[in-house]
Amino acid sequence: MELHRIGIKVPMLDGLTLPALEFIQVFHQWIQAHTLPGVLIDVADYSHVHHGPGILLITHAGNYSVDEMGGWRGLSYYSKHALPGDLTARLITVCRLTLQACDLLEREARFAGKLKFNAGELELFANDRLEAPNSAATEAAIKPALQALLGKLYPGRECNITREPEARERFSLKIAGGAPATVASLLAKI
């Protein structure tokens, strides 16, 4: 499968009451300090959009977002360009970039004790309706690479995977890792 525009979202466990605008200053600091890999370009505020993309950190390779898509707040990263390797390697890359940003936010001084992610759950999504329509066939094609990723993140656990049922929505899978997990513990595994 030649899917490259892939995203992963990690839900917030704590920090749901933080004003979305608090993330703008943090993302600008990341740009100035070159905190994340790649070329960090700008920050966009879509916090006014109900259940929308929230606060975006735009980079050349992909976008980070503290979003409320689907009615729940989390941090997502999605790639915009071709990634090296097979689908498993691409999923691992996107997951690692997402978890690194989550880790930075959890360690951010301004959010001390106020922000935590639930790394026991993830959402995998595709921003490519041609390559990955929201169908059982797409799920079957992604499943081997996804199982390889989940085997690294949640070894020995049975994960519950649920596909977005609405065919008009983008392809996405909600994944419950079977037990609570921390961002740091998952990062250490990939």
Side-chain angles (χ1 to χ4, degrees):
M1 180 172 225
E2 284 304 309
L3 180 61
H4 292 272
R5 290 185 291 191
I6 309 162
I8 292 191
K9 180 176 177 179
V10 182
M12 283 187 188
L13 186 59
D14 296 324
L16 301 173
T17 59
L18 288 171
L21 298 178
E22 295 250 348
F23 296 95
I24 291 174
Q25 191 169 16
V26 172
F27 284 171
H28 277 296
Q29 290 170 346
W30 289 3
I31 291 170
Q32 293 166 358
H34 305 284
T35 303
L36 295 168
V39 179
L40 309 181
I41 299 170
D42 201 0
V43 177
D45 176 8
Y46 290 96
S47 61
H48 60 282
V49 178
H50 181 68
H51 292 176
I55 308 299
L56 275 75
L57 171 57
I58 300 160
T59 78
H60 174 73
N63 292 340
Y64 295 88
S65 176
V66 174
D67 73 45
E68 296 188 3
M69 303 287 279
W72 51 284
R73 184 182 274 185
L75 181 114
S76 63
Y77 172 81
Y78 64 88
S79 61
K80 298 188 290 191
H81 301 291
L83 295 168
D86 63 7
L87 185 55
T88 301
R90 296 189 298 262
L91 289 176
I92 290 170
T93 297
V94 169
C95 189
R96 183 180 303 114
L97 290 168
T98 306
L99 291 170
Q100 285 171 343
C102 290
D103 184 55
L104 287 168
L105 284 174
E106 284 185 344
R107 293 187 292 120
E108 175 61 40
R110 77 173 43 234
F111 300 140
K114 299 179 199 170
L115 185 128
K116 197 79 170 158
F117 289 93
N118 177 8
E121 296 180 15
L122 303 172
E123 180 182 10
L124 167 70
F125 58 90
N127 275 342
D128 187 339
R129 292 177 193 261
L130 290 176
E131 184 65 34
N134 190 6
S135 68
T138 299
E139 183 176 0
I142 285 178
K143 202 77 155 214
L146 178 60
Q147 291 299 342
L149 171 65
L150 296 179
K152 288 181 177 294
L153 296 175
Y154 309 112
R157 293 190 198 164
E158 185 68 34
C159 295
N160 183 28
I161 301 170
T162 308
R163 182 170 56 89
E164 165 60 51
E166 177 55 55
R168 292 178 292 182
E169 296 293 329
R170 69 181 175 188
F171 175 81
S172 72
L173 299 172
K174 289 196 175 146
I175 300 151
T182 65
V183 168
S185 70
L186 295 191
L187 263 176
K189 296 174 186 175
I190 58 171

